[in-house]
Amino acid sequence: AIDIGTDLAYMSATLHEIFSWHDFSISIVFSEFSSAFSWEDNTSSLLGCIIGSQALRQGLDFNSTATRVLRQELDRLKIQPMSVAKKASKKMEGQW
């Protein structure tokens, strides 16, 4: 069930980005177009699904387990400071 939930969550997040890119929204008043498809969306959504599924598998308190699993994954990925992210974003500006 966790694997199916993980797959559905990721597909739902991806479909949400596609629909909002085409200005489809459940809200008549507010457009989500301006937030659609930033370059890190798919990676962030996938990471969230992976973290959530790992936390669920451990069967402990979800919030504290997810926080611990996220920290471990960020350490494994060698997370960089915000200044590096800003520099990378600036370098890609106008090319995306």
Side-chain angles (χ1 to χ4, degrees):
I2 292 173
D3 289 339
I4 293 170
T6 301
D7 289 349
L8 289 175
Y10 182 70
M11 285 188 279
S12 295
T14 302
L15 285 173
H16 169 76
E17 295 299 331
I18 292 168
F19 289 153
S20 58
W21 176 259
H22 291 286
D23 211 20
F24 176 81
S25 177
I26 57 172
S27 171
I28 306 169
V29 181
F30 302 104
S31 169
E32 295 184 59
F33 181 78
S34 61
S35 70
F37 277 137
S38 56
W39 58 271
E40 86 297 341
D41 284 342
N42 288 338
T43 305
S44 299
S45 295
L46 181 59
L47 181 61
C49 290
I50 291 169
I51 298 302
S53 66
Q54 288 179 6
L56 285 171
R57 287 183 202 290
Q58 294 184 23
L60 305 170
D61 173 66
F62 180 80
N63 288 337
S64 60
T65 304
T67 299
R68 182 176 44 76
V69 172
L70 175 60
R71 175 51 49 203
Q72 290 170 344
E73 188 64 17
L74 293 176
D75 289 344
R76 186 184 75 76
L77 292 169
K78 297 180 177 25
I79 192 72
Q80 299 297 305
M82 186 185 302
S83 60
V84 173
K86 286 183 177 181
K87 185 177 178 181
S89 293
K90 189 70 173 168
K91 186 175 182 177
M92 295 306 297
E93 190 173 355
Q95 298 182 43
W96 178 242

